[in-house]
């Protein structure tokens, strides 16, 4: 049999670590980088006199060159500078973020001068490094890729991620949701019969929950929820806050807060201690010459760490409940709760989730750090026409709209036309009327989001219909159709019933 397969890779672009996989000789291979690690820190260190360092080498430099070592670009991508999450994160970053016409730009000294990088540029460098890692392993140029994004990413965040991939020289075959990719990793080969599966994906910076029904190789996402700003980095920040306080208590005359290098070392030590506390009941933070030649050692217990983060851990259960509600499933109807993401190693996180599911045993069958790239590699092979594996030919994926879609009525009320978690493709119609007496021009502003006020949601696009006959408010009617095709292309069309005048807009939604 002739195979027309192209080489296609799957990339998990993580907040803290990224991972790349490919199907080779019928197996999924997670590709190690040149240092031999299967995940690569999503970090870039800029220098005055040479090219930026990316990945492990950037991470190793973080303490020496804190102002120019950039991480967390995924927490900035597709967001505005004024976003409260951005403002909060900026307080703990050693690098500087400024506003350029409302968009965040990261300040760094690069090859002799000060430069301002959009977050996409940083993500693009990390993606380029993942591409190179794959190319070194495969011995050939690779351009085709499936890239994963958090299920709860907005359209703007998805567009920015895609732009980053394109400027890294990648041809994006598809962007798939991280928990969906993890579900493929879990369900591929294993699931017999029908199973309702909840994927709980707690990574470095984002949290996603997806509920899927898997039956005969069909992966039907039924609902998705999450928080694009909750993960291991937030736990690190809590620990750093505690350690700073502890240092201040021990050395009241010393002020750590202005010393970026000390703060960066404290953060690295905090993350290490956090990891240890997943396996031990106590960990030591030991930093030589932390500040003014003080060699500092402090012990932290697991109980203390749990107390510091307890509200954040509990917060993860809200999207779980929401996803179950939206999937119209009771928790007793979930056959498997699958853990994904490095932060699911935290025992307290597991305990809360297990208690929520009335003591159900959690499924730890996938590698939490690699499952997303693993599933992305499988989807990439399917899209690349790899017909060497019979199982791949049977695999089908249907996803849902993560956010509701609608148009603005009155001044800023959101009228939902397509509810969140609707399976796509879909077509929905609704009738709208004029709001003012003698209104001859009607604007249709299209939004995504769950808030009752459009000002709190995301504007996707707009169009107008002119030449509407003057009439009392509410008299002139418009048929509005939202049509989303299988590729996530949204077409919004409106027709004035009396004049048949119409207009429309096409918006590429990057959910598929
Ligand atoms: P991911 O985005 O899935 O790669 O997750 C990375 C996050 O998982 C980082 O915040 C890590 O600090 C965290 N992580 C990795 N291993 C552990 C562990 N053993 N205990 C707690 N957190 C961990």
């Amino acid at each position: 049999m002739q195979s027309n397969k192209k080489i296609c890779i799957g990339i998990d672009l993580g907040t803290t670590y990224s991972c790349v996989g490919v199907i080779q000789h019928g197996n999924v291979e997670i590709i190690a980088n040149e240092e031999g690690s299967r995940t690569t820190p999503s970090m870039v260190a800029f220098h005055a006199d040479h090219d930026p360092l990316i990945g492990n080498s950037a991470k190793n430099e973080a303490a020496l060159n804190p102002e120019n070592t950039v991480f967390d670009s995924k927490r900035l991508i597709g967001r505005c500078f004024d976003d409260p999450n951005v403002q909060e994160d900026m307080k703990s970053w050693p690098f500087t973020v400024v506003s350029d016409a409302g968009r965040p730009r990261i300040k760094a000294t690069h090859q002799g001068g000060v430069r301002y990088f959009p977050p996409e540029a940083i993500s693009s460098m990390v993606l380029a490094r993942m591409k190179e890692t794959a190319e070194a392993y495969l011995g050939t140029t690779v351009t085709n890729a499936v890239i994963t994004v958090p299920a709860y990413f907005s359209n703007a965040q998805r567009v920015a991620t895609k732009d980053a991939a394109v400027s890294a020289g990648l041809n994006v075959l598809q962007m798939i949701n991280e928990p969906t990719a993890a579900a493929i990793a879990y369900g591929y080969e294993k699931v017999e019969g029908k199973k309702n599966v909840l994927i709980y994906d707690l990574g470095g910076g984002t949290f996603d929950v997806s509920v899927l029904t898997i039956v005969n190789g069909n992966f039907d996402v039924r609902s998705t929820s999450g928080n694009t700003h909750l993960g291991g980095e937030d736990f690190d920040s809590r620990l750093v806050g505690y350690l700073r306080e502890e240092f201040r208590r021990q050395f009241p005359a010393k002020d750590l807060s202005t010393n970026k290098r000390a703060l960066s070392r404290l953060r690295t030590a905090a993350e290490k201690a956090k990891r240890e506390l997943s396996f031990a009941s106590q960990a030591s933070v030991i930093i030589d010459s932390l500040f003014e030649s003080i060699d500092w050692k402090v012990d932290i217990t697991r109980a203390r760490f749990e107390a510091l983060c307890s509200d954040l851990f509990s917060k993860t259960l809200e999207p779980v409940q929401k996803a179950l509600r939206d999937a119209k499933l009771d928790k007793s109807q979930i056959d498997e709760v699958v853990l994904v993401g490095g932060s699911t190693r935290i025992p307290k996180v597991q305990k809360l989730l297990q208690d929520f599911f009335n003591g159900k045993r959690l499924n730890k069958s996938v590698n939490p750090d690699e499952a997303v790239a693993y599933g992305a590699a499988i989807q990439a092979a399917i899209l690349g026409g790899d017909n060497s594996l019979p199982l791949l030919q049977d695999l089908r994926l249907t996803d849902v709209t993560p956010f509701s879609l609608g148009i603005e009525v009155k001044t800023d009320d959101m009228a939902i036309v397509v509810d969140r978690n609707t399976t796509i493709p879909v077509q929905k119609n609704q009738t709208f009327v004029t709001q003012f007496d003698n209104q001859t021009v009607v604007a249709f502003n299209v939004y995504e989001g769950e808030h009752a006020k459009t000002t709190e949601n995301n504007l996707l696009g707009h169009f107008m219909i002119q030449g509407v006959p003057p009439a009392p408010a509410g008299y002139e009617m418009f048929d509005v159709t939202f049509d989303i095709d299988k590729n996530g292309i949204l077409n919004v069309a409106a027709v004035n019933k009396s004049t048949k005048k119409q207009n429309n807009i096409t918006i590429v939604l990057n959910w598929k």
Side-chain angles (χ1 to χ4, degrees), residues 339-467:
L339 299 183
V340 183
S343 300
T344 59
R345 293 196 179 92
I346 297 172
K348 185 73 181 179
V349 166
Q350 295 184 8
K351 168 99 177 55
L352 283 172
L353 190 62
Q354 185 163 32
D355 287 350
F356 175 80
F357 280 97
N358 301 327
K360 185 176 178 57
R361 206 186 159 121
L362 306 176
N363 186 309
K364 300 179 193 168
S365 66
V366 299
N367 180 322
D369 306 319
E370 298 175 1
V372 171
Y374 192 106
I378 294 174
Q379 181 67 0
I382 294 170
L383 297 175
D386 188 336
N387 55 12
S388 61
L389 302 170
L391 281 168
L392 291 188
Q393 292 165 31
D394 295 339
L395 200 148
R396 303 267 176 283
L397 206 60
T398 59
D399 226 313
V400 293
T401 58
F403 298 101
S404 300
L405 298 166
I407 58 173
E408 187 175 43
V409 290
K410 307 228 174 76
T411 347
D412 65 346
D413 285 353
M414 173 89 172
I416 293 175
V417 180
V418 179
D419 285 313
R420 68 168 186 265
N421 290 319
T422 301
T423 302
I424 45 181
V426 67
Q427 193 187 73
K428 296 266 177 173
N429 302 295
Q430 215 162 297
T431 302
F432 292 89
V433 293
T434 42
Q435 289 162 32
F436 313 108
D437 290 343
N438 300 321
Q439 188 176 349
T440 56
V441 178
V442 177
F444 295 86
N445 296 322
V446 182
Y447 284 87
E448 68 172 6
E450 307 313 317
H451 209 280
K453 294 286 170 204
T454 50
T455 39
E456 301 293 320
N457 292 330
N458 302 318
L459 179 66
L460 296 175
H462 53 89
F463 61 92
M464 290 197 291
I465 293 188
Q466 299 181 338

Side-chain angles (χ1 to χ4, degrees), residues 102-147:
R103 295 274 158 211
R105 294 282 179 268
I106 300 151
K107 181 179 170 193
T109 303
H110 176 54
Q111 298 191 327
V114 172
R115 293 266 304 272
Y116 294 89
F117 293 94
E120 301 82 290
I122 308 298
S123 296
S124 178
M125 291 179 204
V126 174
L127 285 166
R129 174 51 53 92
M130 303 317 287
K131 176 179 184 288
E132 285 161 21
T133 297
E135 288 174 341
Y137 171 77
L138 295 164
T140 180
T141 309
V142 178
T143 49
N144 296 309
V146 166
I147 314 277

Side-chain angles (χ1 to χ4, degrees), residues 237-253:
S237 296
R238 289 283 171 93
L239 211 43
V240 169
Y242 168 78
L243 294 171
R244 279 168 72 164
E245 236 353 84
E246 194 53 30
F247 188 86
R248 206 179 55 85
R249 207 180 53 75
Q250 289 180 23
F251 306 98

